[in-house]
Amino acid sequence: EEPSIQDKIMQINPVLEAFGNAMTVRNNNSSRFGKWTQISVNKSMTIVGCSVTDYLLELTRVCTRGEKERSYHVFFQLIQARNDPALESLGILEPQEYKYLQGSQFKASGIDDALCFTELQEAFAALQFSAEVQMEIFKVVLGILALGNIEFAEEEDATLKSEDSVDPAAKLLGLDAEALRKPIMVRSVKVGADVMESKRTAVQAKGVRDAFA
């Protein structure tokens, strides 16, 4: 039986909170985005539809955050659910193994990440996201974390510490490894009909990687 429109509206919050809320020094479940919710009703004042617009998500929190804070809940929810047989193929690591999460708090007081992940899956199901679509979403989330594990040698020109470090992110994001590696490492400029390429510096490559994440 298809959930009612009212049920669907109620299930929006677990999704928005997972992807848009994070632990800060002041609030363990702080919203890091704005949203506009518009509910449509008919002449008899019965709800017939709803649209949600989100904006101003704090993008920098993905790559770095303040002391005693952590990134978005969805990262930690997935990590806590890593022993779920349905997620085993994703190769989810321990939180300290992701560079983007190092130096942050792995647990937020009063928040059960494993339970919240179950609620997230239930919300997706109520909103009629198929299991296949949910898995693709989770792959992208983990692909973002894997991007942070692409590290560069301490040299002026961008050089990967490990050539294999691109592979996990590329696989999760559904990209060819070279198609991901090249724009991070090489700058392309079109001049007339010609395309000129130059190697990025390590600082530039890191910036491109983080911007992509």
Side-chain angles (χ1 to χ4, degrees):
E1 182 180 354
E2 182 178 339
S4 68
I5 186 66
Q6 290 88 347
D7 289 336
K8 289 181 178 180
I9 293 172
M10 293 297 294
Q11 292 294 350
I12 292 172
N13 273 339
V15 177
L16 292 179
E17 288 192 5
F19 287 85
N21 285 24
M23 174 184 176
T24 67
V25 292
R26 295 176 180 270
N27 186 343
N28 285 357
N29 191 32
S30 174
S31 174
R32 312 310 298 165
F33 69 105
K35 70 175 179 180
W36 171 265
T37 303
Q38 182 169 317
I39 296 176
S40 302
V41 298
N42 60 19
K43 291 181 179 179
S44 61
M45 300 305 291
T46 300
I47 296 174
V48 295
C50 175
S51 68
V52 179
T53 303
D54 64 272
Y55 52 92
L56 297 178
L57 180 68
E58 185 188 10
L59 299 177
T60 56
R61 183 168 290 272
V62 171
C63 305
T64 184
R65 79 244 17 112
E67 187 179 353
K68 296 182 180 179
E69 296 190 343
R70 72 174 194 171
S71 192
Y72 293 105
H73 294 328
V74 69
F75 295 128
F76 301 93
Q77 291 174 7
L78 265 170
I79 290 171
Q80 285 299 314
R82 63 186 177 278
N83 294 324
D84 185 331
L87 302 176
E88 285 182 356
S89 64
L90 301 183
I92 304 175
L93 306 176
E94 297 281 347
Q96 63 269 20
E97 295 181 89
Y98 291 109
K99 297 295 182 181
Y100 278 161
L101 301 183
Q102 290 179 0
S104 66
Q105 296 288 316
F106 297 146
K107 293 186 180 296
S109 178
I111 295 177
D112 184 334
D113 290 315
L115 176 61
C116 288
F117 183 72
T118 299
E119 293 174 348
L120 174 63
Q121 289 178 302
E122 292 172 350
F124 273 142
L127 294 167
Q128 297 183 290
F129 285 70
S130 68
E132 292 75 19
V133 170
Q134 291 183 48
M135 185 61 70
E136 291 303 311
I137 293 172
F138 299 150
K139 284 181 180 179
V140 172
V141 171
L142 293 168
I144 291 170
L145 290 181
L147 281 170
N149 287 354
I150 300 174
E151 295 189 276
F152 307 97
E154 296 295 330
E155 300 176 10
E156 183 175 352
D157 287 340
T159 304
L160 293 173
K161 279 188 176 181
S162 169
E163 290 295 328
D164 296 334
S165 63
V166 177
D167 294 344
K171 182 179 178 181
L172 287 163
L173 296 172
L175 300 172
D176 177 78
E178 179 60 18
L180 177 59
R181 186 200 68 81
K182 187 173 180 179
I184 292 176
M185 308 291 287
V186 178
R187 179 172 179 261
S188 298
V189 179
K190 188 172 183 180
V191 181
D194 300 323
V195 177
M196 304 182 66
E197 295 183 344
S198 60
K199 197 166 186 179
R200 298 186 192 275
T201 66
V203 172
Q204 289 172 339
K206 182 177 180 295
V208 171
R209 178 204 66 191
D210 291 348
F212 186 29

